[in-house]
Amino acid sequence: MFPIKHKFKNFSSTKIPKVLEINPLIFFTLLTGLILAFLLDLALGSVQIPIQQVVTILLGGQAEKETWTTIIFKFRLPKALTATFAGAALGVSGLQMQTLFRNPLAGPFVLGISSGAALGVALVVLTANITGVGVLFKDLGIIGDFSLVVAASLGAALVLGLVLLVARRVQDTMTLLILGLLFGYATSAVVSILLHFSETQQIQSYLQWTFGSFAGVTWRQMLVLAPVVLLALLISVMLSKPLNALLLGEAYARSLGLGVQQARFWIITSASILAGAITAFCGPIAFLGVAIPHLCRSLFNTSEHRVLIPAVIFMGAISALIADLLSQLAVRQTILPLNSVTALIGTPVVTWVILRRNSRTSFPK
């Protein structure tokens, strides 16, 4: 049973909410768009592979060139799956934070989770020679990019633990938001100090991580990333009714019988796990978490979370796949920083969509 106290049957936690309430035609369009974006991300790149050959390879058939099979399964398929998970996770995390804090500028990293992950990476990359942390990771058999994943996960988990501890004691949501921002500023300050005393090569390695990338996740790491993201998304689906109640404020939600403190705890837990997992494996991916919820509200003209959550999952995944594709194709023989692509390409599109709907507001006064 989902642990949210209630008085009224409307907020029963024994049954998973029916979330696929999108118009069937729109749902089919989103699903088609996701499949098309996924196939294009597998087909296009420095080596062009015909889409029909991509489909043949995915279905277990024999490709015209053996190297195409290697490229698909060893490099492009895990990257495309990572982009799909990342877009969905960051979009849903941002939607939850915007609803919880009733702030259209809130994103998945508003509680300092991203900064905690950055601190973990900074401690490994910038102090490896001094503290011997890098040697320790090698002794444990955890080398290369996976050491950054471990470090970022520990940093994100540390901040998440502090936030959840505070969330149990603080009743006011805005106070929690301020404290989360302070946690972020504190960890960012430590990272800045480490950067100041680091060598050029170490700084370059850290900055490379901050650019964000979907290409660093291996199949071994996918066995960790996929279950974590899917579990957190399932929790988000189960939170759709409490999120709807919180749209009109905590007092209104309490009047409907919602256990606000417990609902807030699980919302923060879900959003933080989604943001922390993606940051740990892919680096701090900008834009998607803040923009995708606004894009979906504008396109579907609703604040109903039973519609928005599946819409954000699809739209976030599609946007991440398109961004990954453009980062490879924008400049020949060069892969652009992923964060630059998400911001430069996505901002005008989302701005245009939102301005079309500027006569209405997505957040209740």
Side-chain angles (χ1 to χ4, degrees), residues 116-198:
L119 176 60
V121 172
L123 288 173
V124 170
V125 175
L126 303 180
T127 68
N129 295 335
I130 300 175
T131 63
V133 175
V135 176
L136 174 62
F137 277 121
K138 290 181 180 180
D139 290 341
L140 292 175
I142 305 172
I143 58 175
D145 293 335
F146 200 75
S147 65
L148 300 185
V149 172
V150 174
S153 300
L154 292 175
L158 174 63
V159 176
L160 172 59
L162 292 174
V163 170
L164 294 179
L165 180 63
V166 172
R168 286 189 173 275
R169 297 177 177 272
V170 176
Q171 299 295 325
D172 183 43
T173 301
M174 292 309 299
T175 301
L176 181 62
L177 172 62
I178 294 171
L179 291 175
L181 292 174
L182 291 177
F183 288 154
Y185 291 142
T187 53
S188 297
V190 176
V191 171
S192 298
I193 293 173
L194 293 174
L195 286 171
H196 180 74
F197 291 102
S198 299

Side-chain angles (χ1 to χ4, degrees), residues 62-78:
Q62 183 67 35
E64 293 181 2
K65 297 181 180 179
E66 189 63 30
T67 55
W68 288 352
T69 302
T70 303
I71 290 172
I72 291 293
F73 283 112
K74 189 172 182 179
F75 300 104
R76 293 188 183 177
L77 185 56

Side-chain angles (χ1 to χ4, degrees), residues 59-119:
L59 294 178
Q62 183 67 35
E64 293 181 2
K65 297 181 180 179
E66 189 63 30
T67 55
W68 288 352
T69 302
T70 303
I71 290 172
I72 291 293
F73 283 112
K74 189 172 182 179
F75 300 104
R76 293 188 183 177
L77 185 56
K79 178 168 64 70
L81 288 173
T82 301
T84 302
F85 286 128
L90 294 177
V92 172
S93 179
L95 174 65
Q96 291 177 309
M97 291 295 94
Q98 290 171 10
T99 300
L100 177 64
F101 295 113
R102 293 169 53 79
N103 186 337
L105 297 179
F109 307 131
V110 72
L111 296 177
I113 305 299
S114 175
S115 299
L119 176 60

Side-chain angles (χ1 to χ4, degrees), residues 159-242:
V159 176
L160 172 59
L162 292 174
V163 170
L164 294 179
L165 180 63
V166 172
R168 286 189 173 275
R169 297 177 177 272
V170 176
Q171 299 295 325
D172 183 43
T173 301
M174 292 309 299
T175 301
L176 181 62
L177 172 62
I178 294 171
L179 291 175
L181 292 174
L182 291 177
F183 288 154
Y185 291 142
T187 53
S188 297
V190 176
V191 171
S192 298
I193 293 173
L194 293 174
L195 286 171
H196 180 74
F197 291 102
S198 299
E199 299 177 358
T200 303
Q201 185 176 0
Q202 294 172 319
I203 295 175
Q204 184 177 1
S205 298
Y206 175 77
L207 291 178
Q208 189 68 35
W209 177 81
T210 64
F211 290 158
S213 174
F214 299 137
V217 178
T218 64
W219 284 114
R220 179 183 175 186
Q221 295 171 2
M222 185 67 68
L223 295 177
V224 177
L225 176 64
V228 169
V229 170
L230 290 175
L231 177 61
L233 287 176
L234 177 60
I235 296 175
S236 303
V237 167
M238 299 173 69
L239 289 167
S240 57
K241 287 186 178 180

Side-chain angles (χ1 to χ4, degrees), residues 18 41-42 47 68 86 107 117 126 140 144 146 157 178-179 188 214 223 258 271 274 305 315 328 337 339 341 350:
K18 181 182 178 182
D41 199 37
L42 295 178
V47 176
W68 288 352
L126 303 180
L140 292 175
F146 200 75
I178 294 171
L179 291 175
S188 297
F214 299 137
L223 295 177
L258 177 68
L274 289 171
H305 286 81
M315 194 65 68
Q328 302 176 68
N339 280 327
V341 176
V350 177

